Amino acid sequence: CNCLVVVPQDKVVSVESFGSFLKVLEPGLSFAGLDICGACISLNAISTRVDQIICRVPTKTRDNVFVQAEVAVQLSIMPDRIQDAVYKLTNVQEQLESYAAEVVRSLLPTLTLDEAFEKKEEISGSIKETLGGHMQEYGWQIHNALVTDLKVNPDVMRSMNEITRQQRLRDASVMSAEADMIRTVKRAEGEADAAQLAGEGIARQRGAIITGLRQAIGEAQGETITTEDITTLLLTTQYFETLKDIGSRSTSKTYFLPKGDPNDPEYQTQSGLLQGTVGLEYVMNGARGAGEGSYRGPAQQSMVAPSPCGSASPIPAAHSTRSFRSSPIPAGHSQHSPPSLPQPSYSRPQ
C-alpha cells in the first residue's frame, strides 16, 4: 500500500494516480492517496542535488590539430518545474552531450590550438549559455559548464614543447647578442675617450717641451731659436725615446753586425767589449729575476753596418750574427758568474 510515503531530504517524489501525474511530495511524511495493493498509486523519485556530467567531444582546431575537449556540466532540477524534469527527457546525459558537442564544434574550428588553450573561459561561457537556454524547457537548471581539458596527441605536445624551447633559445641568443653589442660599443667609446685624452696630454707635453727648449736655448745663447731647430731637436728626442721603449721589452734581442772588414783589429776589440758588456747585463738581470723563476734579457742594442755611400745596408751573406736570448744558466755556472763568451781573434790583413 502506497498511502503514506516517507520522502528523503535530498529527493522529491512525483505521484501518479492510474498512470496520470497527480502531485509532487516534498521531503518528509506525506499522504500519497488511497491505494489498493499498489494498483492505484505509483511513485517516481528524483534527486534535488546538483549533479555533474562529463561530456567528451572530439574535434579539430583551425590549424588542423585534432583534440578531445572534456566539458564538465553541473546541473540540477528546477523546483517549480519538477514535472517537466521527470517526464520530458528520457536520457538527460545524452541530451547534454549533444548540445555541448554542438557548441564546441562550432567554436574550436575557428581557433588555433594556442588560442583554444587561452580562451577556455570564453568556450565555457558559450556552452553554459547554450545549455541553459535549451535545458530550461525540460526543467533542468545549468549551474556551470567548464572546459576541464583539451587532450592532444602526445606527438603534437612534444612538437609544441620543442617550438617553445626553440623560441626561448632564440630570444636568449638575441638578448645575449644585444648585451655583447652594448659591451663592445661602451668599450669602444671608452677607448676613444682614453685615446682622445692621451692625445691631448701628449700635445700639451710636446708644447711644453718646445716652449722649454726655446726658452732654455735662447737664454743660454742669447739668440732666437728657429722653428726648424726646435723641430729637429724634438724629432731627435723622440727617436731616442723610441729606442728606449723598444729596448725595454722582454722580447728584445741584441745583434752585432760587422761595421766593415771583420778582420779589423779595432772592430774585433770593440765587438769583444760590447759582447762582454751585454753578457754582464744578461747575468745581472738574471740574478735580479731569479726570485721570479725567469731571466730577463738585456736591453736591445743594435748596430747596422753602413754602406759605402753612408746609408744602412743589410747583413752580408758571409757574415754571421750573434743573438742573446733569455734562457736558463748553463750547468756549471753560478747565477753571479758571466757565461763564457767567444774570444775575439786578432789578425792583420796581409
Side-chain angles (χ1 to χ4, degrees):
C1 178
N2 294 327
C3 296
L4 297 176
V5 180
V6 177
V7 181
Q9 181 64 38
D10 61 338
K11 292 183 179 180
V12 292
V13 176
S14 66
V15 180
E16 296 178 359
S17 175
F18 297 102
S20 176
F21 176 77
L22 180 63
K23 60 182 177 179
V24 175
L25 300 181
E26 300 293 335
L29 179 62
S30 302
F31 178 73
L34 297 176
D35 185 23
I36 300 175
C37 298
C40 301
I41 301 297
S42 60
L43 305 175
N44 292 319
I46 187 169
S47 176
T48 58
R49 293 186 179 185
V50 176
D51 195 10
Q52 175 171 289
I53 299 176
I54 302 297
C55 303
R56 294 177 175 83
V57 183
T59 183
K60 74 171 184 176
T61 60
R62 190 177 65 189
D63 48 353
N64 296 323
V65 177
F66 286 89
V67 297
Q68 185 180 46
E70 289 190 359
V71 182
V73 181
Q74 299 170 355
L75 73 164
S76 64
I77 62 173
M78 301 175 66
D80 56 341
R81 303 189 65 173
I82 295 176
Q83 183 180 357
D84 294 337
V86 174
Y87 296 105
K88 282 193 173 182
L89 286 179
T90 303
N91 193 318
V92 177
Q93 181 170 353
E94 290 182 358
Q95 191 70 30
L96 286 175
E97 289 180 352
S98 300
Y99 286 134
E102 178 186 2
V103 177
V104 171
R105 288 171 181 165
S106 63
L107 288 178
L108 283 184
T110 62
L111 305 174
T112 62
L113 184 60
D114 294 336
E115 293 174 347
F117 279 100
E118 295 173 359
K119 298 182 178 180
K120 279 186 176 182
E121 294 184 359
E122 297 181 8
I123 299 173
S124 299
S126 300
I127 295 174
K128 178 182 177 182
E129 182 180 357
T130 302
L131 291 180
H134 288 291
M135 296 301 293
Q136 282 183 359
E137 301 177 5
Y138 305 107
W140 291 91
Q141 178 182 0
I142 305 298
H143 297 280
N144 214 339
L146 304 175
V147 179
T148 58
D149 193 12
L150 290 175
K151 292 186 177 180
V152 188
N153 188 279
D155 294 336
V156 178
M157 291 294 296
R158 283 192 293 269
S159 301
M160 292 176 61
N161 293 334
E162 183 65 21
I163 292 173
T164 303
R165 189 178 74 88
Q166 293 299 331
Q167 289 177 348
R168 299 288 186 232
L169 291 176
R170 183 187 63 184
D171 295 341
S173 300
V174 171
M175 296 178 66
S176 177
E178 290 178 353
D180 292 340
M181 181 187 67
I182 293 174
R183 284 194 293 268
T184 303
V185 171
K186 294 300 181 182
R187 188 184 302 112
E189 291 177 354
E191 292 176 355
D193 294 340
Q196 181 181 358
L197 295 176
E200 293 175 357
I202 293 174
R204 290 196 298 267
Q205 178 188 17
R206 296 290 186 262
I209 292 174
I210 293 173
T211 303
L213 290 175
R214 180 181 288 111
Q215 293 177 356
I217 298 176
E219 292 176 358
Q221 298 182 358
E223 58 183 10
T224 303
I225 305 300
T226 62
T227 305
E228 289 78 7
D229 296 336
I230 295 296
T231 303
T232 303
L233 184 58
L234 185 60
L235 291 176
T236 304
T237 304
Q238 292 180 353
Y239 171 75
F240 283 107
E241 289 179 355
T242 303
L243 291 181
K244 180 180 178 181
D245 292 337
I246 296 175
S248 62
R249 297 179 182 178
S250 60
T251 57
S252 299
K253 302 176 183 179
T254 302
Y255 294 95
F256 294 93
L257 306 181
K259 178 180 179 181
D261 185 6
N263 297 322
D264 185 5
E266 180 181 357
Y267 163 71
Q268 293 180 356
T269 302
Q270 182 182 11
S271 177
L273 291 175
L274 289 175
Q275 294 180 19
T277 302
V278 172
L280 182 59
E281 291 180 0
Y282 167 74
V283 173
M284 296 303 294
N285 290 336
R288 286 193 296 268
E292 302 176 359
S294 61
Y295 292 96
R296 294 173 296 179
Q300 177 177 349
Q301 302 178 10
S302 61
M303 295 181 294
V304 182
S307 63
C309 61
S311 61
S313 62
I315 304 174
H319 295 164
S320 62
T321 62
R322 300 180 179 88
S323 172
F324 294 89
R325 302 185 182 182
S326 300
S327 60
I329 300 178
H333 294 272
S334 65
Q335 64 179 9
H336 296 289
S337 62
S340 59
L341 301 174
Q343 300 296 329
S345 61
Y346 299 91
S347 62
R348 280 184 191 278
Q350 300 296 330

